[in-house]
Amino acid sequence: MEYGKVLRFHRVKQGLTQNQLADGIISPAYLSKIENDQTVPAFEVLEHLYERLGLDFHDSSYHHPSKEKLKEWYEMIVFKRKEEARELKEELKQQKDTLNNHHLYIFFELFRIRHLLLENEVEEAYEAWKNIRQHEDTFDEEMRYYFHLSTGLLKYYRGDFEDSFQQLMEAKNYSVSVEVKEWEESDLYYLLALSSSQSNHISASIFYADQALSLYQKQYNLGKSADCHILLGINYGRLKNYAKSLENYHLVSKIATQTNNHYQLGVIYHNIGVIEARRGQYETALLNYKRSLPYRTDTASDLEIFETIHCLILENYKLSNYEDCKEWIQRGYTHLRSSKLDTTTDEIHLNVYSMLIEKDNHTIDYLENIAIPHFQNKKLPRFVIRYSIIVSELLEGERSYKKSTKYLRLAIDLLNKYSNLGGTVL
């Protein structure tokens, strides 16, 4: 057993310094060597140190902790069996070893991060991550695998997609030396495909989505296979291979209809709408967005529902269906008032199109001083591009050619930098 790691874990957990734990037993320098596994002390020394920490040195549970229940809980979390996961979590919390044993506590906290993310408690998950990170130097390789995986998933939820991808790649590196089950391997590949898609590593995303798909098909997991097809559809769409994109989406439609998965149906009709809009088929795009919305209203997040409403506004505006556009703008405001979203970003979208339709005299000022700077700060280039083009056209109409050219150049530069924008990721 690695006594040093256990001692350091409980010392840090109890808020003791090395001086406080070592006082009257050994020197702080010697304790440091023990904690770093640079020496093996006499059993009498270990007994005294354990006693000061309130631990039983002879308790066999500290020597041979079982992770079976924890792994069972983790599997429930990964496969989103929420009710079962909640019940088993409470059972685990009641067991003394879960919170007092070094190994069990570390795994419980690492798995709890993912459980909190499943429950959409992102900030609480971040606090749990900060707490467990202080014990990182006591981790074995298996713990490091789950730590990097949890970190990658947390960063994904917080919108740090590039960091998410890098952390998940670290987890993949550790998975080589850790016994990872096939369902965990497919989960890791899927998360890599997600994060690489969002960080615009399209080839990598296609590669990992294909890897995950192959494993999910072997497991006869139709739901996760459909998720992989959605990602593949998004990435092929970004490569402007619309035929391949729609092929994947239609496969999802078949699977989701067969499994009665309303969430996936909502996603897929929305994403077909995205492809049709990019092909210039605005009427067809509208039909698919409208088809998506009832499914999304029942199953999707407030953000996803607003995304479809936003797209309905955009396509109606392109078709000069201004009355329909105004109706969807009002529906957007109503949705924001009843949602838990941070509404600033979404209100800007609604305000812009409302002002454009009403030919508001302050539209140019609003775009220049509020909308475009906001999306620049948020690092959302596709909206900077969209609104830069709009304000450029408005300025040209007022014969402000110099300023018009400035915003057109901004849009062109961003288009050259981000040539593969588009799609909706789960």
Side-chain angles (χ1 to χ4, degrees):
M1 177 177 178
E2 296 172 314
Y3 296 106
K5 289 183 178 180
V6 175
L7 286 170
R8 186 190 185 285
F9 164 77
H10 286 285
R11 177 179 64 76
V12 172
K13 193 171 176 225
Q14 294 179 31
L16 299 176
T17 65
Q18 287 184 331
N19 285 345
Q20 288 171 321
L21 178 56
D23 186 35
I25 302 174
I26 51 175
S27 71
Y30 189 48
L31 174 59
S32 178
K33 286 185 176 181
I34 296 171
E35 290 188 348
N36 290 307
D37 293 319
Q38 294 174 353
T39 185
V40 179
F43 279 176
E44 292 80 2
V45 171
L46 287 171
E47 284 183 308
H48 286 306
L49 293 170
Y50 268 60
E51 183 179 356
R52 180 159 292 173
L53 290 167
L55 307 176
D56 184 353
F57 179 66
H58 300 288
D59 186 346
S60 61
S61 69
Y62 292 104
H63 299 264
H64 305 288
S66 170
K67 300 195 296 286
E68 287 181 13
K69 275 286 183 184
L70 283 167
K71 285 295 187 73
E72 184 182 332
W73 180 45
Y74 183 66
E75 187 173 356
M76 291 173 182
I77 296 165
V78 170
F79 288 103
K80 300 182 180 181
R81 287 150 41 195
K82 287 188 176 183
E83 288 303 321
E84 292 177 71
R86 288 171 191 151
E87 289 176 12
L88 188 50
K89 175 189 172 185
E90 293 307 312
E91 180 185 326
L92 289 166
K93 284 171 65 178
Q94 299 306 314
Q95 297 177 9
K96 183 186 80 169
D97 287 349
T98 302
L99 301 180
N100 293 335
N101 179 276
H102 167 242
H103 281 72
L104 294 180
Y105 177 82
I106 294 292
F107 282 109
F108 177 79
E109 286 297 298
L110 289 171
F111 296 164
R112 188 168 75 92
I113 292 168
R114 186 156 186 176
H115 187 234
L116 288 165
L117 293 174
L118 176 62
E119 299 286 1
N120 207 32
E121 299 289 345
V122 179
E123 288 311 305
E124 192 174 342
Y126 180 58
E127 291 302 315
W129 175 80
K130 286 197 296 184
N131 175 60
I132 203 65
R133 188 177 55 166
Q134 67 183 324
H135 303 295
E136 189 177 354
D137 59 356
T138 72
F139 291 175
D140 60 25
E141 289 204 337
E142 186 178 14
M143 292 171 183
R144 291 187 186 282
Y145 166 75
Y146 288 111
F147 176 72
H148 286 294
L149 192 146
S150 298
T151 303
L153 196 54
L154 177 62
K155 287 183 177 292
Y156 183 90
Y157 271 76
R158 289 169 65 88
D160 301 328
F161 301 122
E162 183 61 43
D163 286 347
S164 171
F165 179 58
Q166 296 305 324
Q167 286 293 325
L168 290 166
M169 286 299 295
E170 283 293 317
K172 182 177 178 293
N173 292 338
Y174 279 104
S175 72
V176 175
S177 56
V178 174
E179 188 178 341
V180 175
K181 293 182 179 178
E182 189 176 82
W183 63 265
E184 291 186 89
E185 186 181 7
S186 53
D187 174 62
L188 175 60
Y189 281 133
Y190 179 69
L191 295 178
L192 280 164
L194 269 182
S195 60
S196 55
S197 175
Q198 288 284 41
S199 51
N200 218 35
H201 301 306
I202 297 174
S203 297
S205 185
I206 290 173
F207 172 79
Y208 288 119
D210 277 330
Q211 294 292 308
L213 177 61
S214 177
L215 290 170
Y216 284 132
Q217 287 174 336
K218 282 174 62 180
Q219 299 160 26
Y220 302 102
N221 190 326
L222 289 176
K224 293 305 294 183
S225 295
D227 287 342
C228 292
H229 281 299
I230 290 171
L231 263 180
L232 288 167
I234 289 167
N235 285 306
Y236 282 119
R238 288 172 176 166
L239 293 174
K240 297 182 173 57
N241 188 342
Y242 299 135
K244 191 74 173 174
S245 177
L246 289 170
E247 177 187 324
N248 278 278
Y249 289 154
H250 290 310
L251 278 170
V252 177
S253 179
K254 289 180 182 178
I255 295 171
T257 301
Q258 182 181 339
T259 58
N260 200 31
N261 190 321
H262 285 196
Y263 179 77
Q264 287 178 340
L265 286 169
V267 169
I268 220 61
Y269 290 131
H270 177 96
N271 281 7
I272 290 173
V274 170
I275 293 297
E276 296 297 352
R278 293 174 73 187
R279 294 169 69 192
Q281 303 298 316
Y282 304 130
E283 292 283 6
T284 308
L286 275 174
L287 288 173
N288 279 285
Y289 289 136
K290 288 177 181 177
R291 196 174 183 185
S292 164
L293 199 56
Y295 292 114
R296 301 205 109 175
T297 302
D298 290 340
T299 61
S301 68
D302 288 333
L303 182 60
E304 290 167 320
I305 294 167
F306 182 82
E307 186 177 36
T308 301
I309 293 172
H310 180 194
C311 289
L312 283 159
I313 293 167
L314 179 60
E315 301 314 317
N316 275 297
Y317 182 79
K318 288 177 185 174
L319 290 165
S320 301
N321 295 336
Y322 297 135
E323 289 305 314
D324 288 344
C325 195
K326 283 194 280 189
E327 286 183 21
W328 285 111
I329 289 170
Q330 288 307 311
R331 186 160 174 179
Y333 283 125
T334 301
H335 176 72
L336 292 183
R337 283 195 294 270
S338 63
S339 75
K340 298 177 181 178
L341 296 172
D342 176 6
T343 59
T344 305
T345 295
D346 301 321
E347 281 183 350
I348 289 173
H349 290 308
L350 298 177
N351 293 342
V352 167
Y353 285 102
S354 181
M355 295 173 83
L356 286 169
I357 290 169
E358 299 298 334
K359 300 188 185 302
D360 191 306
N361 292 332
H362 299 97
T363 305
I364 292 174
D365 181 65
Y366 187 82
L367 285 164
E368 285 191 286
N369 298 310
I370 295 177
I372 292 172
H374 174 83
F375 291 113
Q376 286 174 321
N377 290 335
K378 288 285 186 179
K379 297 180 180 177
L380 294 170
R382 61 174 168 161
F383 298 126
V384 178
I385 292 167
R386 180 191 298 174
Y387 294 132
S388 293
I389 291 171
I390 289 173
V391 78
S392 174
E393 291 173 349
L394 292 173
L395 286 164
E396 186 179 8
E398 293 193 351
R399 300 188 178 184
S400 297
Y401 299 121
K402 187 175 180 180
K403 286 180 72 177
S404 173
T405 302
K406 169 187 145 185
Y407 284 104
L408 186 59
R409 174 53 56 192
L410 173 61
I412 291 170
D413 288 345
L414 288 172
L415 278 167
N416 288 334
K417 184 176 180 181
Y418 301 98
S419 59
N420 297 308
L421 298 175
T424 301
V425 182
L426 282 170

